[in-house]
Each structure stands twice: as structure tokens, then as C-alpha cells.
Amino acid sequence: MKERIKAVRKHPDINLSQEEFGKRVGVKGNTIGNYELGLRNPSEAVIFSICREFNVNESWLRTGNGKMFNPMSEDEELDLYVGRISGGADEFKKNLIKTLCKLSEDEWDVLKKIISEMK
């Protein structure tokens, strides 16, 4: 399991330090380090937290069987990304999401036009 915990933490969509990953699942960063080195095994609660927080397939995390992540609808995927941004420290990302949420339909049309012209 040690390699799989590290794979989740370092996945490009997650990419957290041991400290940041630990905060998200309710343990200290050095505890995550111990899991990744195989010095300790995560409790059932930590396994559940990893799966819940990062949409990880529990069977894959425990055994390596199946896919790393559970399938998600587009809305669930969007909720997950927005949740990561709102829980993070990057103020630019937070402000960008808030600004986009305030756009009128006409402003969305202008933005679509600008982006299509950038292609």
C-alpha cells in the first residue's frame, strides 16, 4: 500500500506535500512519510479519509486491483476541483473561480468568443 499512497499524493491532479496530504486526511506529514516508507500501516479511518478526500478506489488502494480513482460524473469532478481550490492557499485560483461565477450570460458569451479565437 505504501507505493499506492505515494502515487495518490504525487498524482498530477493532487500533487501535495506529505504535510499537505496529511492535513487533508487528518494525520501529520511525518505519518504520511512513515506510510510511504512502509514503517506504519494506515488505520481504517485514514484509508477511508484518503478514499473520500481524493475519490480513490478503496480496492485499488488496498490491493492494487482496479483503477486508482472512482468514476465521476462531470458535476462530481467539478465539485472535486472546486473543493480543492477552495481548501487551498492559492488566492489567484480562488479569485478566478469567484469571478467566473459572477459572470452574466452575455459575459460568458464574450469569454467563449475570446477563447475560441485563441485556438
Side-chain angles (χ1 to χ4, degrees), residues 78 82 85-86 90-103 108 111 115:
L78 181 60
V82 171
I85 291 169
S86 68
D90 191 326
E91 291 300 316
F92 172 78
K93 290 178 183 176
K94 289 179 187 180
N95 289 331
L96 177 62
I97 295 296
K98 287 192 286 188
T99 300
L100 289 172
C101 289
K102 295 175 185 176
L103 292 179
W108 275 109
L111 184 58
I115 291 172

Side-chain angles (χ1 to χ4, degrees), residues 51-65:
C51 293
R52 182 196 70 240
E53 186 68 22
F54 301 104
N55 194 42
V56 171
N57 175 344
E58 185 175 345
S59 177
W60 176 85
L61 185 61
R62 291 179 184 275
T63 68
N65 294 326

Side-chain angles (χ1 to χ4, degrees), residues 11-53:
H11 188 278
D13 288 342
I14 298 171
N15 195 30
L16 297 173
S17 69
Q18 290 176 340
E19 186 72 25
E20 294 166 325
F21 191 84
K23 284 180 185 175
R24 298 275 294 270
V25 298
V27 298
K28 296 185 182 212
N30 65 333
T31 303
I32 298 297
N34 286 333
Y35 297 156
E36 291 179 0
L37 292 171
L39 300 175
R40 292 185 60 194
N41 291 317
S43 67
E44 291 297 313
V46 170
I47 291 171
F48 176 78
S49 291
I50 291 170
C51 293
R52 182 196 70 240
E53 186 68 22

Side-chain angles (χ1 to χ4, degrees), residues 59-77:
S59 177
W60 176 85
L61 185 61
R62 291 179 184 275
T63 68
N65 294 326
K67 295 189 177 192
M68 181 186 290
F69 297 107
N70 293 313
M72 289 187 284
S73 70
E74 286 185 3
D75 287 342
E76 289 170 328
E77 190 173 3

